[in-house]
Amino acid sequence: MSSISIIGLGNMASALADRALAGGNAVEIIGRDPAKAKELAAALGGATVGTAGAAPAGDIVILAVPYASAAAVVSEYGDDALQGKVIIDITNPVSPDFQGFVTPDGSSGAQEIAKAAPAGAHVVKAFNTLFSHVLAAGPAEGRLLDVFIAGDDAQAKTRVSAFIESLGLRPMDTGQLAMARSLENVALLQLGLVAHSVKHTNFFLGVSILS
Ligand SMILES: NC(=O)c1ccc[n+]([C@@H]2O[C@H](COP(=O)([O-])OP(=O)(O)OC[C@H]3O[C@@H](n4cnc5c(N)ncnc54)[C@H](OP(=O)(O)O)[C@@H]3O)[C@@H](O)[C@H]2O)c1
């Protein structure tokens, strides 16, 4: 069992919180609007409500906010509140025309967020390649959904992998945090598929391991 704090109250926050509760994890919901946070926690059942800007209760903190707000949110909580936490970055820093990224060349959203995090926190990229409704629905047609992860700290990735398994999903480690760039490109690839071939968002990309 993991202890999770989710910052954000949107589609990804509710899908992650719902699966996390079903997986037996302790879940804290944190939003900038306390009334909305209480409403979501009540709808989920079993989640607690945290205070925006205060130290999150969870050992794992999921940033479920738009990329544009993510680094500012990390700075707002500050070094003391996030010291020692595993921070999961689920964002996709895609440009408004869906053709590229708003991050500096050679970097990624996760690496930019890591710059804002305290030295004693560990950023792990995860969940950015699963559409929220696909995540909410869970295993599809007998196949586990793959959650690609990337991060520099092996222990942090082990903890995130255990959390992912508790959601009934399959963690797939892709390497160091610099691989987040590739994972964010996978999200861009998915948007290209939506626009040009699949034409809807009810799909996921996963690994088929052949014997
Ligand atoms: N939707 C998907 O299928 C999907 C898939 C993979 C990854 N992602 C990524 O997941 C993240 C969340 O996406 P979403 O679809 O859940 O978005 P969403 O439904 O629009 O929810 C975003 C949430 O972020 C909160 N927020 C925004 N700025 C904030 C700030 N400065 N401080 C605190 N909270 C703030 C919003 O708060 P208010 O409610 O107060 O406005 C809202 O609750 C994004 O980075 C997105 O790229 C999304």
Side-chain angles (χ1 to χ4, degrees):
M1 186 195 100
S2 304
S3 165
I4 308 294
S5 292
I6 302 176
I7 303 176
L9 307 172
N11 295 315
M12 285 298 279
S14 14
L16 285 163
D18 195 36
R19 296 204 72 79
L21 286 165
N25 299 285
V27 177
E28 179 188 56
I29 301 291
I30 309 174
R32 56 185 169 182
D33 178 340
K36 257 168 94 174
K38 270 191 199 150
E39 209 176 291
L40 176 59
L44 289 163
T48 58
V49 178
T51 305
D59 301 325
I60 296 178
V61 178
I62 303 180
L63 282 177
V65 300
Y67 174 70
S69 308
V73 167
V74 167
S75 302
E76 177 195 329
Y77 280 75
D79 287 5
D80 287 349
L82 296 177
Q83 195 60 36
K85 305 285 186 190
V86 173
I87 299 173
I88 300 185
D89 164 37
I90 68 167
T91 69
N92 282 313
V94 173
S95 57
D97 63 2
F98 293 170
Q99 299 301 306
F101 298 101
V102 298
T103 40
D105 282 350
S107 188
S108 64
Q111 288 165 293
E112 294 304 304
I113 288 166
K115 288 178 192 166
H122 302 291
V123 175
V124 176
K125 186 90 196 177
F127 297 106
N128 73 301
T129 65
L130 285 174
F131 292 112
S132 59
H133 55 278
V134 173
L135 177 63
E141 295 169 9
R143 281 191 64 186
L144 286 181
L145 303 181
D146 286 333
V147 181
F148 300 112
I149 68 172
D152 290 336
D153 186 83
Q155 222 183 348
K157 285 196 288 191
T158 300
R159 285 162 67 187
V160 171
S161 296
F163 170 59
I164 290 168
E165 282 169 354
S166 80
L167 308 186
L169 311 173
R170 182 170 67 164
M172 279 281 167
D173 190 355
T174 66
Q176 300 291 108
L177 195 63
M179 282 300 284
R181 235 181 318 162
S182 300
L183 298 189
E184 291 164 12
N185 268 294
V186 171
L188 199 59
L189 169 70
Q190 288 175 307
L191 294 174
L193 291 169
V194 171
H196 299 287
S197 51
V198 181
K199 305 283 187 186
H200 59 74
T201 58
N202 196 27
F203 70 95
F204 72 96
L205 298 185
V207 178
S208 295
I209 299 172
L210 305 177
S211 53

